[in-house]
Protein backbone atom coordinates (compact mmCIF):
# COMPACT_ATOMS: atom_id res chain seq x y z
CA UNK A 1 0.00 0.00 0.00
CA UNK A 2 3.02 2.30 0.48
CA UNK A 3 3.63 2.99 -3.18
CA UNK A 4 0.01 3.78 -4.15
CA UNK A 5 -0.28 6.16 -1.17
CA UNK A 6 2.93 7.92 -2.16
CA UNK A 7 1.71 8.23 -5.76
CA UNK A 8 -1.67 9.61 -4.68
CA UNK A 9 0.20 12.29 -2.73
CA UNK A 10 2.09 13.37 -5.83
CA UNK A 11 -0.56 15.81 -7.02
CA UNK A 12 -0.62 17.94 -3.87
CA UNK A 13 -0.23 17.72 -0.11
CA UNK A 14 -3.25 16.19 1.60
CA UNK A 15 -4.80 15.35 4.96
CA UNK A 16 -4.92 11.70 5.86
CA UNK A 17 -8.68 11.54 5.45
CA UNK A 18 -8.48 13.15 1.98
CA UNK A 19 -5.92 10.58 0.99
CA UNK A 20 -8.09 7.79 2.26
CA UNK A 21 -11.00 9.17 0.29
CA UNK A 22 -8.92 9.34 -2.92
CA UNK A 23 -7.91 5.74 -2.37
CA UNK A 24 -11.45 4.53 -1.68
CA UNK A 25 -12.76 6.37 -4.73
CA UNK A 26 -10.03 4.98 -6.99
CA UNK A 27 -10.60 1.42 -5.80
CA UNK A 28 -14.37 1.44 -6.24
CA UNK A 29 -16.32 -1.25 -4.34
CA UNK A 30 -13.20 -3.04 -3.00
CA UNK A 31 -12.27 0.27 -1.36
CA UNK A 32 -15.09 -0.27 1.14
CA UNK A 33 -13.14 -3.16 2.57
CA UNK A 34 -10.24 -0.85 3.31
CA UNK A 35 -9.34 -0.64 7.00
CA UNK A 36 -9.55 3.09 7.92
CA UNK A 37 -6.51 2.89 10.19
CA UNK A 38 -4.35 1.36 7.49
CA UNK A 39 -3.81 4.61 5.63
CA UNK A 40 -2.61 6.34 8.80
CA UNK A 41 -0.33 3.49 9.78
CA UNK A 42 1.18 3.51 6.28
CA UNK A 43 1.60 7.29 6.35
CA UNK A 44 3.40 6.98 9.68
CA UNK A 45 5.81 4.48 8.17
CA UNK A 46 6.40 6.66 5.12
CA UNK A 47 7.22 9.64 7.37
CA UNK A 48 9.69 7.48 9.31
CA UNK A 49 11.29 6.40 6.03
CA UNK A 50 11.76 10.04 5.01
CA UNK A 51 9.52 9.71 1.94
CA UNK A 52 6.75 11.91 3.32
CA UNK A 53 6.94 15.07 5.41
CA UNK A 54 4.18 15.95 7.86
CA UNK A 55 3.13 19.44 8.86
CA UNK A 56 0.81 20.43 11.69
CA UNK A 57 -1.67 23.08 10.62
CA UNK A 58 -3.71 25.18 12.99
CA UNK A 59 -7.17 24.32 11.84
CA UNK A 60 -9.50 24.39 14.81
CA UNK A 61 -12.59 23.34 12.86
CA UNK A 62 -11.24 19.90 12.02
CA UNK A 63 -9.67 17.27 14.25
CA UNK A 64 -7.22 16.22 11.53
CA UNK A 65 -4.47 18.78 11.72
CA UNK A 66 -1.75 16.94 9.88
CA UNK A 67 -0.95 17.63 6.23
CA UNK A 68 1.24 15.12 4.41
CA UNK A 69 3.58 16.03 1.59
CA UNK A 70 6.06 14.10 -0.56
CA UNK A 71 9.75 14.72 0.11
CA UNK A 72 12.29 14.75 -2.74
CA UNK A 73 13.09 11.13 -1.88
CA UNK A 74 9.37 10.37 -1.97
CA UNK A 75 9.08 11.86 -5.47
CA UNK A 76 12.01 9.74 -6.64
CA UNK A 77 10.35 6.67 -5.19
CA UNK A 78 7.10 7.48 -7.04
CA UNK A 79 8.95 7.84 -10.35
CA UNK A 80 10.67 4.52 -9.72
CA UNK A 81 7.37 2.83 -8.95
CA UNK A 82 5.72 4.19 -12.09
CA UNK A 83 8.51 2.68 -14.19
CA UNK A 84 8.46 -0.68 -12.39
CA UNK A 85 7.06 -3.33 -14.77
CA UNK A 86 7.73 -6.41 -12.66
CA UNK A 87 4.30 -8.01 -12.85
CA UNK A 88 2.86 -9.70 -10.76
CA UNK A 89 4.93 -8.00 -8.04
CA UNK A 90 3.10 -4.95 -9.35
CA UNK A 91 -0.42 -6.29 -8.80
CA UNK A 92 -3.49 -5.36 -10.88
CA UNK A 93 -4.63 -3.15 -7.96
CA UNK A 94 -1.24 -1.43 -7.87
CA UNK A 95 -1.36 -0.92 -11.60
CA UNK A 96 -4.88 0.49 -11.54
CA UNK A 97 -3.89 2.99 -8.83
CA UNK A 98 -0.72 3.78 -10.73
CA UNK A 99 -2.73 4.86 -13.76
CA UNK A 100 -5.08 7.02 -11.69
CA UNK A 101 -2.27 8.64 -9.70
CA UNK A 102 -0.23 9.28 -12.84
CA UNK A 103 -3.19 10.87 -14.62
CA UNK A 104 -4.31 13.00 -11.68
CA UNK A 105 -0.84 14.37 -10.96
CA UNK A 106 0.17 14.57 -14.63
CA UNK A 107 3.22 12.41 -13.89
CA UNK A 108 2.94 10.16 -16.94
CA UNK A 109 0.60 9.30 -19.78
CA UNK A 110 -1.54 6.37 -18.60
CA UNK A 111 -1.70 4.97 -22.15
CA UNK A 112 2.10 4.90 -22.34
CA UNK A 113 2.24 3.11 -18.97
CA UNK A 114 -0.29 0.55 -20.21
CA UNK A 115 1.67 0.00 -23.41
CA UNK A 116 4.91 -0.59 -21.54
CA UNK A 117 3.21 -3.04 -19.16
CA UNK A 118 1.50 -4.84 -22.05
CA UNK A 119 4.83 -5.32 -23.82
CA UNK A 120 6.35 -6.71 -20.61
CA UNK A 121 3.48 -9.19 -20.26
CA UNK A 122 3.85 -10.25 -23.89
CA UNK A 123 7.54 -10.93 -23.23
CA UNK A 124 6.58 -12.94 -20.14
CA UNK A 125 4.04 -14.85 -22.20
CA UNK A 126 6.72 -15.49 -24.82
CA UNK A 127 8.98 -16.91 -22.12
CA UNK A 128 6.21 -19.29 -21.00
CA UNK A 129 5.30 -20.17 -24.57
CA UNK A 130 8.91 -21.07 -25.40
CA UNK A 131 9.09 -23.27 -22.32
CA UNK A 132 5.85 -25.01 -23.35
CA UNK A 133 7.31 -25.78 -26.78
CA UNK A 134 10.33 -27.46 -25.21
CA UNK A 135 8.05 -29.80 -23.23
CA UNK A 136 6.48 -32.76 -25.01
CA UNK A 137 2.85 -31.90 -25.92
CA UNK A 138 1.17 -33.86 -23.13
CA UNK A 139 3.65 -33.58 -20.28
CA UNK A 140 2.50 -32.91 -16.71
CA UNK A 141 5.07 -30.16 -16.33
CA UNK A 142 3.47 -28.35 -19.25
CA UNK A 143 0.18 -28.11 -17.36
CA UNK A 144 1.63 -25.64 -14.84
CA UNK A 145 2.96 -23.51 -17.71
CA UNK A 146 -0.44 -23.66 -19.40
CA UNK A 147 -1.96 -22.02 -16.32
CA UNK A 148 0.66 -19.28 -16.34
CA UNK A 149 -0.04 -18.62 -20.04
CA UNK A 150 -3.80 -18.38 -19.45
CA UNK A 151 -3.35 -15.93 -16.56
CA UNK A 152 -1.05 -13.75 -18.65
CA UNK A 153 -3.54 -13.81 -21.51
CA UNK A 154 -6.28 -12.62 -19.15
CA UNK A 155 -4.03 -9.87 -17.77
CA UNK A 156 -3.11 -8.72 -21.27
CA UNK A 157 -6.78 -8.63 -22.22
CA UNK A 158 -7.49 -6.48 -19.18
CA UNK A 159 -4.68 -4.10 -20.17
CA UNK A 160 -6.27 -3.81 -23.62
CA UNK A 161 -9.54 -2.82 -21.97
CA UNK A 162 -7.66 -0.32 -19.77
CA UNK A 163 -6.02 1.17 -22.84
CA UNK A 164 -9.30 1.62 -24.67
CA UNK A 165 -10.94 3.21 -21.62
CA UNK A 166 -8.07 5.61 -20.88
CA UNK A 167 -7.96 6.60 -24.54
CA UNK A 168 -11.69 7.38 -24.46
CA UNK A 169 -11.20 9.46 -21.30
CA UNK A 170 -8.28 11.38 -22.77
CA UNK A 171 -10.31 12.32 -25.86
CA UNK A 172 -13.30 13.58 -23.89
CA UNK B 1 18.12 -11.81 -40.23
CA UNK B 2 18.19 -10.26 -43.69
CA UNK B 3 17.07 -11.68 -46.98
CA UNK B 4 19.53 -12.85 -49.59
CA UNK B 5 20.80 -9.59 -50.99
CA UNK B 6 19.81 -7.87 -47.72
CA UNK B 7 16.27 -6.90 -48.62
CA UNK B 8 13.03 -7.54 -46.80
CA UNK B 9 10.69 -10.16 -48.29
CA UNK B 10 7.95 -7.56 -48.22
CA UNK B 11 8.09 -3.85 -47.61
CA UNK B 12 5.19 -1.42 -47.54
CA UNK B 13 5.39 2.36 -47.44
CA UNK B 14 2.56 4.77 -46.78
CA UNK B 15 0.00 2.06 -47.44
CA UNK B 16 -3.51 3.53 -47.39
CA UNK B 17 -6.96 2.09 -48.05
CA UNK B 18 -10.09 4.24 -47.84
CA UNK B 19 -13.58 2.75 -47.79
CA UNK B 20 -16.79 4.68 -48.18
CA UNK B 21 -19.16 3.74 -45.38
CA UNK B 22 -22.56 5.49 -45.44
CA UNK B 23 -21.06 8.30 -47.49
CA UNK B 24 -18.24 8.80 -45.00
CA UNK B 25 -14.66 8.02 -45.99
CA UNK B 26 -13.09 5.60 -43.50
CA UNK B 27 -9.32 5.26 -43.58
CA UNK B 28 -9.18 1.52 -42.86
CA UNK B 29 -5.44 1.53 -43.45
CA UNK B 30 -3.83 4.90 -42.93
CA UNK B 31 -0.25 5.42 -44.07
CA UNK B 32 1.26 2.18 -42.78
CA UNK B 33 4.99 1.50 -43.15
CA UNK B 34 6.09 -2.07 -42.55
CA UNK B 35 8.79 -4.53 -43.51
CA UNK B 36 9.25 -8.23 -42.87
CA UNK B 37 12.81 -9.53 -43.13
CA UNK B 38 13.55 -13.04 -44.33
CA UNK B 39 13.10 -15.57 -41.56
CA UNK B 40 11.31 -13.09 -39.35
CA UNK B 41 7.91 -13.41 -37.67
CA UNK B 42 6.01 -10.16 -37.24
CA UNK B 43 2.66 -10.02 -35.48
CA UNK B 44 0.05 -7.30 -35.71
CA UNK B 45 -2.36 -6.70 -32.84
CA UNK B 46 -5.10 -4.20 -32.25
CA UNK B 47 -8.80 -3.92 -31.41
CA UNK B 48 -11.30 -5.23 -33.96
CA UNK B 49 -11.81 -2.71 -36.72
CA UNK B 50 -8.31 -1.28 -36.30
CA UNK B 51 -7.44 -2.23 -39.89
CA UNK B 52 -5.12 -5.15 -39.25
CA UNK B 53 -6.99 -7.56 -41.51
CA UNK B 54 -7.35 -4.90 -44.22
CA UNK B 55 -3.60 -4.40 -44.07
CA UNK B 56 -3.04 -8.12 -44.55
CA UNK B 57 -5.43 -8.15 -47.52
CA UNK B 58 -3.49 -5.32 -49.17
CA UNK B 59 -0.16 -7.07 -48.66
CA UNK B 60 -1.55 -10.32 -50.02
CA UNK B 61 -3.19 -8.73 -53.04
CA UNK B 62 -6.74 -9.57 -51.95
CA UNK B 63 -7.42 -5.83 -52.13
CA UNK B 64 -5.73 -2.88 -53.81
CA UNK B 65 -4.35 0.13 -51.91
CA UNK B 66 -5.53 3.68 -52.65
CA UNK B 67 -2.08 5.03 -51.93
CA UNK B 68 1.34 3.79 -50.95
CA UNK B 69 3.72 1.20 -52.23
CA UNK B 70 4.35 -2.51 -51.76
CA UNK B 71 7.63 -4.14 -52.70
CA UNK B 72 7.39 -7.92 -52.70
CA UNK B 73 10.58 -9.92 -53.19
CA UNK B 74 12.24 -6.78 -54.54
CA UNK B 75 9.52 -6.04 -57.08
CA UNK B 76 7.18 -3.07 -56.97
CA UNK B 77 3.64 -4.35 -57.01
CA UNK B 78 1.94 -1.11 -58.10
CA UNK B 79 3.28 -1.23 -61.63
CA UNK B 80 2.15 -4.79 -62.24
CA UNK B 81 -0.90 -5.81 -64.25
CA UNK B 82 -3.58 -7.79 -62.41
CA UNK B 83 -2.32 -10.97 -64.05
CA UNK B 84 1.36 -10.49 -63.20
CA UNK B 85 0.42 -9.53 -59.64
CA UNK B 86 -1.68 -12.68 -59.35
CA UNK B 87 1.18 -14.84 -60.62
CA UNK B 88 3.70 -13.13 -58.32
CA UNK B 89 1.60 -13.57 -55.22
CA UNK B 90 0.72 -17.19 -55.97
CA UNK B 91 4.43 -17.96 -56.08
CA UNK B 92 5.53 -15.85 -53.13
CA UNK B 93 2.68 -15.70 -50.62
CA UNK B 94 0.85 -18.38 -48.67
CA UNK B 95 -2.40 -17.45 -46.95
CA UNK B 96 -3.82 -18.85 -43.72
CA UNK B 97 -7.30 -17.70 -42.72
CA UNK B 98 -9.34 -17.78 -39.53
CA UNK B 99 -12.07 -19.89 -41.14
CA UNK B 100 -9.56 -22.11 -43.01
CA UNK B 101 -11.18 -21.38 -46.43
CA UNK B 102 -10.79 -24.94 -47.67
CA UNK B 103 -12.73 -25.86 -50.79
CA UNK B 104 -15.61 -28.03 -49.53
CA UNK B 105 -15.83 -30.17 -52.67
CA UNK B 106 -12.17 -31.22 -52.56
CA UNK B 107 -10.41 -33.68 -50.27
CA UNK B 108 -7.66 -32.51 -47.92
CA UNK B 109 -4.88 -33.49 -50.31
CA UNK B 110 -6.68 -31.93 -53.29
CA UNK B 111 -7.01 -28.68 -51.35
CA UNK B 112 -3.31 -28.69 -50.58
CA UNK B 113 -2.16 -29.37 -54.15
CA UNK B 114 -4.52 -26.82 -55.76
CA UNK B 115 -2.18 -23.77 -55.55
CA UNK B 116 0.65 -25.86 -57.08
CA UNK B 117 -1.57 -26.85 -60.01
CA UNK B 118 -2.53 -23.19 -60.48
CA UNK B 119 1.10 -22.19 -61.02
CA UNK B 120 1.61 -25.02 -63.50
CA UNK B 121 3.14 -27.85 -61.50
CA UNK B 122 2.53 -31.32 -62.93
CA UNK B 123 -0.23 -33.33 -61.24
CA UNK B 124 2.29 -35.93 -60.09
CA UNK B 125 4.67 -33.40 -58.60
CA UNK B 126 1.87 -31.46 -56.94
CA UNK B 127 0.44 -34.62 -55.35
CA UNK B 128 3.86 -35.76 -54.17
CA UNK B 129 4.58 -32.43 -52.50
CA UNK B 130 1.06 -32.20 -51.00
CA UNK B 131 1.39 -35.63 -49.36
CA UNK B 132 4.83 -34.70 -48.08
CA UNK B 133 3.44 -31.56 -46.43
CA UNK B 134 0.45 -33.37 -44.92
CA UNK B 135 2.93 -35.83 -43.39
CA UNK B 136 5.09 -33.04 -42.04
CA UNK B 137 2.05 -31.37 -40.46
CA UNK B 138 0.81 -34.61 -38.92
CA UNK B 139 -2.41 -34.94 -40.93
CA UNK B 140 -1.35 -37.47 -43.58
CA UNK B 141 -4.03 -39.88 -42.34
CA UNK B 142 -6.67 -37.27 -43.23
CA UNK B 143 -5.53 -36.84 -46.84
CA UNK B 144 -8.67 -38.27 -48.43
CA UNK B 145 -11.14 -36.69 -45.99
CA UNK B 146 -13.51 -33.93 -47.09
CA UNK B 147 -13.13 -30.67 -45.11
CA UNK B 148 -16.40 -31.24 -43.22
CA UNK B 149 -14.93 -34.44 -41.76
CA UNK B 150 -11.94 -32.57 -40.28
CA UNK B 151 -11.70 -31.01 -36.82
CA UNK B 152 -10.79 -27.30 -36.57
CA UNK B 153 -7.19 -28.08 -35.72
CA UNK B 154 -6.91 -30.56 -38.62
CA UNK B 155 -8.51 -28.09 -41.04
CA UNK B 156 -6.03 -25.40 -40.08
CA UNK B 157 -3.10 -27.79 -40.50
CA UNK B 158 -4.37 -28.71 -43.96
CA UNK B 159 -4.70 -24.98 -44.69
CA UNK B 160 -1.12 -24.37 -43.54
CA UNK B 161 0.03 -27.22 -45.81
CA UNK B 162 -1.81 -25.51 -48.69
CA UNK B 163 -0.13 -22.21 -47.81
CA UNK B 164 3.29 -23.89 -47.95
CA UNK B 165 2.91 -25.83 -51.18
CA UNK B 166 4.57 -23.28 -53.47
CA UNK B 167 7.41 -22.67 -51.00
CA UNK B 168 6.26 -19.11 -50.33
CA UNK B 169 8.66 -16.39 -49.25
CA UNK B 170 6.04 -15.17 -46.83
CA UNK B 171 3.08 -16.65 -44.99
CA UNK B 172 0.27 -14.20 -44.23
CA UNK B 173 -1.96 -15.46 -41.43
CA UNK B 174 -5.23 -13.75 -40.50
CA UNK B 175 -6.37 -14.78 -36.98
CA UNK B 176 -5.06 -18.33 -37.57
CA UNK B 177 -6.27 -19.55 -34.15
CA UNK B 178 -9.50 -17.53 -34.08
CA UNK B 179 -11.70 -20.61 -34.53
CA UNK B 180 -9.60 -23.07 -32.55
CA UNK B 181 -9.82 -24.35 -28.99
CA UNK B 182 -6.88 -24.12 -26.64
CA UNK B 183 -5.40 -27.51 -27.56
CA UNK B 184 -5.59 -26.89 -31.32
CA UNK B 185 -4.14 -23.42 -30.75
CA UNK B 186 -1.21 -25.07 -29.00
CA UNK B 187 -0.72 -27.35 -32.00
CA UNK B 188 -0.71 -24.43 -34.44
CA UNK B 189 1.78 -22.58 -32.23
CA UNK B 190 4.07 -25.63 -32.35
CA UNK B 191 3.66 -25.72 -36.09
CA UNK B 192 4.53 -22.02 -36.48
CA UNK B 193 7.58 -22.53 -34.26
CA UNK B 194 8.75 -25.34 -36.60
CA UNK B 195 8.17 -23.10 -39.62
CA UNK B 196 10.22 -20.32 -38.00
CA UNK B 197 12.99 -22.77 -37.20
CA UNK B 198 13.10 -23.71 -40.88
CA UNK B 199 13.54 -20.04 -41.83
CA UNK B 200 9.98 -19.27 -42.95
CA UNK B 201 8.92 -15.59 -42.81
CA UNK B 202 5.52 -14.97 -41.26
CA UNK B 203 3.20 -12.02 -40.81
CA UNK B 204 0.44 -12.87 -38.35
CA UNK B 205 -2.58 -10.71 -37.63
CA UNK B 206 -4.12 -11.78 -34.34
CA UNK B 207 -5.94 -10.71 -31.21
CA UNK B 208 -4.62 -13.79 -29.40
CA UNK B 209 -1.78 -12.64 -27.15
CA UNK B 210 -0.42 -16.18 -27.09
CA UNK B 211 0.06 -16.16 -30.85
CA UNK B 212 1.33 -12.58 -30.95
CA UNK B 213 3.90 -13.18 -28.21
CA UNK B 214 5.77 -15.75 -30.26
CA UNK B 215 6.73 -13.16 -32.91
CA UNK B 216 10.11 -11.47 -33.16
CA UNK B 217 8.43 -8.08 -33.49
CA UNK B 218 5.00 -6.78 -32.64
CA UNK B 219 3.13 -3.95 -34.32
CA UNK B 220 0.10 -2.42 -32.61
CA UNK B 221 -2.57 -0.83 -34.80
CA UNK B 222 -5.37 1.56 -34.00
CA UNK B 223 -7.69 3.44 -36.37
CA UNK B 224 -5.80 2.17 -39.41
CA UNK B 225 -2.38 3.33 -38.24
CA UNK B 226 0.55 1.56 -36.62
CA UNK B 227 0.86 3.24 -33.23
CA UNK B 228 3.39 0.97 -31.58
CA UNK B 229 6.30 -1.20 -32.50
CA UNK B 230 8.31 -3.37 -30.14
CA UNK B 231 10.86 -6.17 -30.23
CA UNK B 232 9.71 -9.24 -28.33
CA UNK B 233 12.44 -11.61 -29.46
CA UNK B 234 15.83 -11.24 -27.81
CA UNK B 235 14.46 -9.02 -25.03
CA UNK B 236 14.02 -10.83 -21.72
CA UNK B 237 11.05 -9.84 -19.56
CA UNK B 238 11.82 -7.77 -16.46
CA UNK B 239 10.18 -10.44 -14.32
CA UNK B 240 10.84 -14.09 -15.16
CA UNK B 241 7.65 -16.15 -15.01
CA UNK B 242 9.54 -19.42 -14.77
CA UNK B 243 11.52 -18.18 -11.77
CA UNK B 244 8.24 -17.03 -10.20
CA UNK B 245 6.62 -20.43 -10.69
CA UNK B 246 9.48 -22.09 -8.81
CA UNK B 247 9.45 -19.55 -5.96
CA UNK B 248 7.96 -21.24 -2.89
CA UNK B 249 8.34 -18.14 -0.74
CA UNK B 250 10.54 -19.97 1.79
CA UNK B 251 13.92 -19.24 0.30
CA UNK B 252 15.29 -18.72 3.83
CA UNK B 253 15.16 -22.45 4.35
CA UNK B 254 13.35 -24.56 6.95
CA UNK B 255 12.48 -22.63 10.05
Amino acid sequence: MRDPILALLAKEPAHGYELRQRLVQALGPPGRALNPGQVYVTLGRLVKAGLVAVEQVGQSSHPDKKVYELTAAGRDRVAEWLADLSWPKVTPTDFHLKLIAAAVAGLADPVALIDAQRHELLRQLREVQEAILVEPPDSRGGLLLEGAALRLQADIRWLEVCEQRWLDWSIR
Amino acid sequence: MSAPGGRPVVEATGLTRIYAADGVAVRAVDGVDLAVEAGETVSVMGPSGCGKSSLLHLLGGLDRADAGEIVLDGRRVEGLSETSWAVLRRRTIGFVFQSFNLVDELTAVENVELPALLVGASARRARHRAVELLERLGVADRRDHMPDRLSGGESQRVAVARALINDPLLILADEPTGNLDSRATGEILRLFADLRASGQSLLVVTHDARVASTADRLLTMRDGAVIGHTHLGGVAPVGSVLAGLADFGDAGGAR
Side-chain angles (χ1 to χ4, degrees):
Chain A
M1 191 182 201
R2 295 168 54 135
D3 287 314
I5 292 220
L6 277 178
L8 287 171
L9 262 181
K11 191 193 171 203
E12 58 196 6
H15 290 285
Y17 70 89
E18 287 173 333
L19 211 52
R20 188 174 166 270
Q21 214 146 14
R22 280 184 209 170
L23 197 59
V24 168
Q25 219 164 38
L27 287 174
R32 282 180 227 136
L34 204 64
N35 172 1
Q38 210 180 338
V39 172
Y40 290 95
V41 172
T42 306
L43 278 169
R45 286 189 187 138
L46 290 169
V47 171
K48 238 181 236 166
L51 300 171
V52 167
V54 58
E55 201 196 335
Q56 303 276 347
V57 288
Q59 187 189 18
S60 52
S61 60
H62 202 278
D64 192 351
K65 296 195 181 79
K66 285 179 179 172
V67 170
Y68 298 89
E69 186 176 3
L70 281 187
T71 63
R75 288 201 175 275
D76 289 350
R77 175 62 218 159
V78 169
E80 236 173 80
W81 185 62
L82 288 183
D84 185 2
L85 299 174
S86 49
W87 196 280
K89 202 187 93 201
V90 173
T91 65
T93 302
D94 283 337
F95 189 71
H96 173 70
L97 294 173
K98 208 186 244 196
L99 298 178
I100 290 176
V104 167
L107 293 171
D109 174 10
V111 174
L113 292 178
I114 296 166
D115 244 13
Q117 191 65 67
R118 191 169 59 89
H119 290 156
E120 162 67 11
L121 293 197
L122 282 161
R123 290 195 180 104
Q124 291 191 359
L125 184 53
R126 182 188 174 86
E127 184 199 10
V128 174
Q129 212 47 64
E130 279 174 355
I132 288 175
L133 288 176
V134 174
E135 284 287 297
D138 284 315
S139 85
R140 292 196 180 176
L143 201 50
L144 181 61
L145 296 171
E146 195 76 25
L150 288 168
R151 282 191 294 279
L152 282 167
Q153 263 183 299
D155 287 340
I156 290 167
R157 208 176 290 173
W158 178 61
L159 291 183
E160 287 166 357
V161 173
C162 288
E163 184 154 21
Q164 196 53 57
R165 224 47 90 68
W166 278 98
L167 271 171
D168 292 347
W169 289 330
S170 70
I171 290 162
R172 255 183 246 157
Chain B
M1 238 191 285
S2 61
R7 65 182 186 216
V9 291
V10 69
E11 190 170 16
T13 324
L15 215 55
T16 300
R17 180 72 172 101
I18 302 166
Y19 298 111
D22 299 325
V24 184
V26 177
R27 302 178 82 85
V29 178
D30 194 0
V32 169
D33 298 338
L34 160 144
V36 181
E37 307 286 331
E40 198 185 26
T41 299
V42 176
S43 57
V44 183
M45 287 188 94
S48 38
C50 71
K52 54 191 194 298
S53 286
S54 302
L55 172 66
L56 201 79
H57 290 173
L58 294 179
L59 292 173
L62 301 180
D63 191 13
R64 281 273 192 173
D66 293 303
E69 183 172 283
I70 299 171
V71 177
L72 182 62
D73 193 21
R75 291 166 71 182
R76 273 196 56 182
V77 162
E78 281 67 34
L80 298 178
S81 68
E82 281 298 334
T83 325
S84 324
W85 181 199
V87 170
L88 177 64
R89 70 172 182 259
R90 268 189 208 133
R91 291 183 186 280
T92 51
I93 291 178
F95 258 108
V96 177
F97 299 94
Q98 175 171 0
S99 45
F100 324 128
N101 291 21
L102 298 175
V103 180
D104 289 338
E105 293 75 20
L106 300 179
T107 63
V109 72
E110 287 165 351
N111 265 284
V112 175
E113 69 191 4
L114 186 61
L117 298 173
L118 288 174
V119 297
S122 74
R124 230 184 97 229
R125 212 186 124 56
R127 177 60 56 105
H128 179 75
R129 178 82 179 116
V131 171
E132 220 173 55
L133 281 166
L134 288 173
E135 272 165 15
R136 179 176 162 198
L137 301 189
V139 277
D141 55 335
R142 297 287 184 270
R143 54 175 280 179
D144 295 321
H145 285 47
M146 303 306 280
D148 63 359
R149 307 300 299 163
L150 300 173
S151 71
E154 288 166 350
S155 297
Q156 199 57 301
R157 280 187 277 167
V158 170
V160 172
R162 180 183 57 184
L164 289 170
I165 189 125
N166 288 334
D167 295 316
L169 270 179
L170 176 67
I171 297 260
L172 297 176
D174 190 1
E175 301 282 7
T177 60
N179 280 339
L180 301 182
D181 62 19
S182 148
R183 181 177 280 252
T185 296
E187 287 168 5
I188 293 296
L189 284 171
R190 266 175 202 275
L191 190 60
F192 279 11
D194 292 344
L195 291 180
R196 272 201 301 283
S198 71
Q200 179 69 54
S201 318
L202 289 138
L203 181 71
V204 185
V205 160
T206 184
H207 67 264
D208 184 340
R210 236 172 142 165
V211 176
S213 73
T214 59
D216 301 302
R217 285 192 293 132
L218 169 74
L219 304 180
T220 305
M221 282 187 78
R222 183 170 310 115
D223 299 331
V226 172
I227 54 144
H229 174 212
T230 193
H231 285 267
L232 296 176
V235 186
V238 177
S240 165
V241 185
L242 301 193
L245 289 174
D247 179 5
F248 293 93
D250 58 358
R255 255 176 255 180

